Amino acid sequence: MSTAAQGPLHGVRVVELAGIGPGPFAAMLLADLGADVVRVDRPGGPGLGIDPAHDVTNRNKRSVVVDLKSPYGAARVLDLAERADVLVEGYRPGVAERLGVGPAECHARNPRLVYGRMTGWGQDGPLAERAGHDVSYIAVTGALGLIGRPGEPPAVPANLLGDYAGGSLYLVVGVLAALHHARATGTGQVVDAAIVDGTAHLSAMIHGMLSAGAWQDRRGANLLDGGCPYYGTYETADGGHMAVGALEDRFSEQFLRLLDLPDLLDARGDLSRWDELRTRIADRFRTRTRAQWTAVFAGTDACVAPVLSLREAPHHPHLAARGTFTEHAGLTQPAPAPRFSATPATVRTGPALPGADTEAVARDWDVPALADGDRPAPAADRAHRPDDDRTPPGRPSRKAHQ
């Protein structure tokens, strides 16, 4: 396989200390983009209750098993960190340090390492050492309070908004920015990616609107939160739903004509009539099935789309034509994103099974192989290990920075 066919991060080496949630997703994104991601699994697995063969967030990776609580577990991870460009961990603050694989230990072996830390609350602050989950983090940022109908509890957006948007994607942005700096200067650094920070950052535009008086600080009363009758979801005759985003005049005009409600055209800009508009539109949508309304709005600029389930989405004609979903190793899954004209990203391998790649990683990364995970390599082997002759193109030799 050519370098171009393996993605724009081909040649970048990443160590992922196994966890759950945003850390593995961030590492998957790096792996999708071509990085050689080695996941350091713990004995017994992460305890997710999912068959590792179906854990899509571990695709395009390789796995070794290391017991970090064993006498020589830290040494094994530090051997990998010495040869890596990036390390990603998602422990609570201080845990990596107690295990002997914190930033100080890693940078002592590899000064140019980018050390990515993924947490909910961040590395400092009153809640830094407290437990939490996606819903906890987005709650305090104000983001969760935006979502849902007025008079009802906020709607929980799975773990997409906090874990993955506010967490994983910000970690990846930070890691890539720090990697650019490290390659320019030879100096690595720590990236503190906190879900509370990233989720708050996502609401920048809304805070601007709030400041300008263009956003009410309550649910279901604004242009983009379901308050506007031209931006929201409506139930159909068969219990399905249609999503409407006909905000601009030219789009809402098409929308109302196709809905056969032309008498409402003049009421579009009258906020006092929003409740009336929403009721009339909802009543109209309940007269036909989701499939029938999909056919009505097909090929138009009314900005109306059917709300599909996870199993339905891969079969949508547009997504199927673009290959937005793909099948690999018997698993239907989202294809890598975004897309690159010169270095396309692909699903190269299925989910990495814990420990399946121990020998290959030891060979390719030129680190000591410990079959039983309990005996260190001879000190002389570690001290005199030569630079890897298989250094990929574009990856500078460590000698240049030591």
Side-chain angles (χ1 to χ4, degrees):
M1 182 179 293
S2 69
T3 298
Q6 296 183 54
L9 293 184
H10 175 68
V12 173
R13 286 175 169 173
V14 179
V15 176
E16 175 199 352
L17 302 186
I20 60 174
F25 187 89
M28 181 202 74
L29 180 50
L30 295 171
D32 282 355
L33 299 182
D36 181 5
V37 176
V38 171
R39 178 177 168 93
V40 179
D41 278 301
R42 66 192 69 180
L48 267 182
I50 179 177
D51 182 347
H54 290 264
D55 189 351
V56 173
T57 62
N58 285 330
R59 71 186 184 191
N60 287 336
K61 302 177 184 179
R62 299 193 285 177
S63 169
V64 300
V65 171
V66 175
D67 183 358
L68 275 168
K69 295 183 179 179
S70 74
Y72 307 110
R76 296 195 68 191
V77 170
L78 292 175
D79 282 336
L80 291 169
E82 182 181 348
R83 305 296 292 155
D85 300 289
V86 176
L87 182 145
V88 171
E89 61 95 355
Y91 302 136
R92 292 197 207 187
V95 171
E97 285 82 352
R98 290 196 294 273
L99 291 171
V101 293
E105 293 85 356
C106 289
H107 282 142
R109 295 281 291 269
N110 180 1
R112 64 181 182 81
L113 181 73
V114 173
Y115 195 104
R117 315 198 82 165
M118 182 75 262
T119 60
W121 302 115
Q123 295 298 312
D124 53 43
L127 296 177
E129 295 186 6
R130 299 281 72 82
H133 274 296
D134 176 290
V135 71
S136 316
Y137 311 132
I138 67 174
V140 302
T141 66
L144 180 59
L146 295 172
I147 305 169
R149 297 182 181 278
E152 297 181 7
V156 179
N159 67 333
L160 302 178
L161 176 56
D163 277 356
Y164 297 145
S168 303
L169 297 186
Y170 277 85
L171 176 62
V172 170
V173 169
V175 161
L176 294 181
L179 182 60
H180 175 76
H181 175 266
R183 289 190 163 179
T185 66
T187 303
Q189 60 184 299
V190 177
V191 178
D192 173 6
I195 294 173
V196 290
D197 296 346
T199 305
H201 193 262
L202 288 170
S203 65
M205 182 193 76
I206 294 175
H207 273 279
M209 296 174 70
L210 182 66
S211 176
W215 190 276
Q216 299 182 58
D217 198 10
R218 56 192 178 91
R219 284 192 301 283
N222 301 283
L223 194 65
L224 302 174
D225 65 355
C228 173
Y230 300 101
Y231 198 90
T233 58
Y234 291 93
E235 186 176 6
T236 58
D238 57 346
H241 292 85
M242 300 295 290
V244 176
L247 289 176
E248 293 82 357
D249 287 343
R250 65 187 185 279
F251 300 151
S252 61
E253 182 178 345
Q254 285 193 53
F255 168 64
L256 290 174
R257 292 192 185 281
L258 290 167
L259 210 58
D260 198 22
L261 294 173
D263 59 304
L264 297 179
L265 287 172
D266 293 337
R268 181 189 182 280
D270 187 349
L271 272 62
S272 68
R273 298 186 64 185
W274 272 13
D275 288 341
E276 174 197 351
L277 289 171
R278 187 180 297 103
T279 299
R280 293 278 304 279
I281 292 170
D283 289 344
R284 184 72 178 127
F285 267 117
R286 280 192 287 265
T287 65
R288 298 185 187 182
T289 66
R290 189 187 71 177
Q292 289 172 326
W293 283 119
T294 299
V296 168
F297 290 105
T300 75
D301 282 340
C303 301
V304 178
V307 178
L308 302 183
S309 71
L310 290 174
R311 293 191 185 279
E312 290 174 318
H315 305 290
H316 185 276
H318 180 79
L319 304 186
R322 282 183 59 80
T324 299
F325 291 85
T326 187
E327 184 171 324
H328 187 278
L331 299 176
T332 298
Q333 55 197 282
R339 305 181 185 206
F340 299 84
S341 61
T343 54
T346 60
V347 178
R348 303 181 303 280
T349 63
L353 302 181
D357 308 291
T358 300
E359 293 183 6
V361 169
R363 179 190 67 243
D364 296 344
W365 284 42
D366 191 23
V367 295
L370 296 177
D372 58 12
D374 258 342
R375 289 184 296 104
D381 287 354
R382 296 201 304 274
H384 297 96
R385 187 170 62 255
D387 273 0
D388 190 356
D389 292 332
R390 293 174 293 277
T391 298
R395 182 175 185 269
S397 168
R398 175 158 292 106
K399 291 179 179 177
H401 301 301
Q402 290 184 330

